[in-house]
Amino acid sequence: MPTQQKTSEHFRMDSLIETVQQHPVAILEAERQLTAVKWFEYRFMSPKKANQLFTECYQKVYSRKFAEEIDVERAGSVSGVHFFTMKGNARERSQLVTARQRADRLGIPYPFYIEAAFDFALRRGNNRRRFPRPNQLHGNHASEGLCEQFITKRWNEYIANGLFRVEHPIYLIENYRGLPAQEDFRRFVLDHVREAHLPLHRAIQKFTYDRQQVPAECFRTLVSEEVFNNAIEIVESDLQIFPVVTIPHVPLTSTQRWPTCFGMHYTLDPSSPECASCPQIKGCKFLGDRVLKEAAKQAGVDDPAGDYKRKMDRERQRRCRANKKKMNNTGVSKRPLTSELTSPEPG
C-alpha cells in the first residue's frame, strides 16, 4: 500500500511531541505568555521551528561578526553553535531556548536582537575575539540591565522609522478571524502611526492598500471625521494614477492559525488571560491531550516534561559527585586558574 503523505498538522504534532519530551515544564509554560508579546512574525510558529530559526540567526550573526572582527577567510567555517546541539546536548539546548525566549519577551525579531546583543558585547569587551555565547546575549549579572536598554533603544528607533515589516499571511485583511495576535497587530500599527505622526493618507496607502493588512476604517479612530475623509480622497486620487499591485490570495493551512502555545498541554491554563481570550482553546485542549498521550507513550512516563527536569537534576547530581570524587582522588582542582580562560557566566 502507498505510504500516506504527512500533512502540516502531522508535522506540527510531531514537533510538539518532541518539544514536550525535550524541555522542562517551566520552559513550556512560558510559551503561553510569550505568544502574546513576541514579534508578530513568530506568534504562529511552533516552538521547535522558533528554536531552529533563532539558532540559524545566531549562526549567521556569529559568522558575519567573525569576518568583520577576526578573519574573513575562516568566517564560513565558524558558527558559534551547531544544530545538532539542539537535540543532542541538553545544556546547549537549554541555553538557546532561554536566549530565544528573552528575545520573545522583548518582542524583537531574532536577527535584530542577536545583532544588537553582539554589538553591545563587542563595544564593552576588551577582547573583541570573545563573542557572546547564546546564554550571554543578555549580558552578565552586572550588565544585563544595560544590555536590555541598549537593545530596546535601538529597536524602538527602528520601529519609529517605520522600518519593520510583517510578512505572515495571517495578518492579511482577507485572513482576519479576530485572533488575539491579529488584534494586537492592528493596535501596533495604529500606535505606530500615531506616535510617528505619519500622515494619515500615507498610513492608509501603506497598510491598507500596499500591504493589505489593516482596513482603512481602523484608522478612523485616530483623527476627526473631516481629516479621515480628506485622507481617503487623497488615497483614492493617488490610486487612479498609481494602481496597487494586488497581492495574490494566500490560503492558510490550519497550522498557520495555531499560535506557538497551541496543543502543548503544559501551556493550557483556562484561567489565564491568554487562554481565556483565545477562540481556539477547545482545539488546543484536544490536540494537547493527543500530544501528551503520544509523548508519554514514547517516553514511558505519564509526565514527560516533568520527568525531563527530574532526569536533568539526577544527571547534574551524578556529574557533581563524579567531579568531587575526581578532585578527592587527585587533590587538584580542574578549574582554570584565571577567569580570563573561561567565558563569563550569565547572571
Side-chain angles (χ1 to χ4, degrees):
M1 295 181 62
T3 303
Q4 185 177 5
Q5 187 175 4
K6 279 193 172 185
T7 64
S8 60
E9 290 83 358
H10 288 126
F11 283 114
R12 182 71 170 260
M13 183 172 176
D14 288 346
S15 77
L16 293 176
I17 292 171
E18 181 180 314
T19 297
V20 301
Q21 291 175 328
Q22 293 189 347
H23 302 285
V25 175
I27 288 291
L28 302 180
E29 288 181 337
E31 298 293 355
R32 183 183 65 249
Q33 293 181 329
L34 293 174
T35 298
V37 297
K38 64 169 58 179
W39 182 236
F40 298 102
E41 203 74 61
Y42 310 143
R43 295 195 184 192
F44 296 90
M45 186 178 288
S46 71
K48 180 179 179 180
K49 189 173 181 180
N51 294 335
Q52 291 173 337
L53 177 61
F54 187 89
T55 303
E56 179 182 337
C57 293
Y58 178 89
Q59 290 175 324
K60 288 181 178 179
V61 174
Y62 190 101
S63 296
R64 187 169 65 256
K65 295 298 183 183
F66 190 94
E68 294 173 358
E69 302 291 340
I70 301 178
D71 190 332
V72 174
E73 294 183 357
R74 288 194 293 140
S77 62
V78 299
S79 60
V81 295
H82 299 283
F83 278 107
F84 77 84
T85 62
M86 290 297 296
K87 187 172 184 178
N89 188 314
R91 185 170 182 270
E92 292 280 341
R93 180 172 64 244
S94 176
Q95 291 178 0
L96 281 162
V97 174
T98 300
R100 189 266 295 173
Q101 290 189 336
R102 285 196 184 96
D104 286 339
R105 178 175 57 83
L106 296 176
I108 299 177
Y110 304 150
F112 193 100
Y113 174 85
I114 296 169
E115 180 89 23
F118 264 73
D119 288 346
F120 177 83
L122 293 174
R123 289 183 183 185
R124 284 178 60 88
N126 294 323
N127 187 350
R128 298 184 70 84
R129 290 176 175 266
R130 294 179 61 182
F131 297 161
R133 297 281 296 153
N135 63 320
Q136 298 164 346
L137 287 171
H138 65 295
N140 56 29
H141 180 74
S143 65
E144 182 173 356
L146 292 174
C147 181
E148 183 170 318
Q149 290 176 20
F150 177 86
I151 296 173
T152 54
K153 181 177 183 295
R154 179 181 287 189
W155 174 241
N156 289 335
E157 292 171 350
Y158 187 86
I159 290 293
N161 290 325
L163 300 176
F164 66 90
R165 191 179 184 96
V166 176
E167 302 285 357
H168 198 298
I170 193 71
Y171 299 107
L172 291 174
I173 294 173
E174 65 182 49
N175 291 325
Y176 178 75
R177 298 293 183 276
L179 301 178
Q182 293 174 320
E183 296 285 359
D184 288 346
F185 176 70
R186 292 186 175 187
R187 281 193 291 269
F188 172 81
V189 170
L190 294 181
D191 288 343
H192 163 67
V193 171
R194 182 188 300 110
E195 293 170 4
H197 303 291
L198 190 66
L200 191 61
H201 68 279
R202 292 184 181 175
I204 295 174
Q205 176 72 48
K206 180 177 182 178
F207 295 105
T208 302
Y209 291 97
D210 294 342
R211 300 186 183 179
Q212 299 178 29
Q213 293 175 325
V214 182
E217 283 296 312
C218 290
F219 296 98
R220 190 185 292 272
T221 60
L222 299 180
V223 295
S224 68
E225 192 69 13
E226 180 181 0
V227 172
F228 177 78
N229 290 333
N230 288 338
I232 292 295
E233 289 181 5
I234 294 174
V235 172
E236 291 177 346
S237 176
D238 290 343
L239 290 175
Q240 295 295 323
I241 305 173
F242 305 105
V244 171
V245 177
T246 303
I247 297 177
H249 173 67
V250 183
L252 292 179
T253 63
S254 60
T255 57
Q256 288 179 302
R257 294 191 293 269
W258 293 355
T260 299
C261 54
F262 189 89
M264 272 200 294
H265 174 76
Y266 294 94
T267 60
L268 182 62
D269 179 5
S271 64
S272 67
E274 296 84 13
C275 294
S277 63
C278 181
Q280 303 183 83
I281 187 171
K282 289 183 178 180
C284 178
K285 185 180 186 310
F286 176 77
L287 181 62
D289 290 343
R290 289 180 59 193
V291 167
L292 179 63
K293 182 179 179 180
E294 183 59 30
K297 178 181 176 182
Q298 292 181 13
V301 294
D302 293 334
D303 179 18
D307 184 70
Y308 177 86
K309 183 178 186 304
R310 291 188 288 270
K311 183 170 62 178
M312 291 299 102
D313 289 342
R314 291 193 296 270
E315 177 61 21
R316 279 192 291 270
Q317 291 174 3
R318 185 195 65 77
R319 290 198 304 267
C320 183
R321 288 194 295 268
N323 289 336
K324 287 182 178 179
K325 183 177 180 180
K326 182 185 293 186
M327 291 175 63
N328 290 335
N329 290 339
T330 62
V332 178
S333 172
K334 299 298 182 181
R335 292 180 60 83
L337 297 178
T338 69
S339 59
E340 293 180 351
L341 300 179
T342 59
S343 299
E345 291 295 326

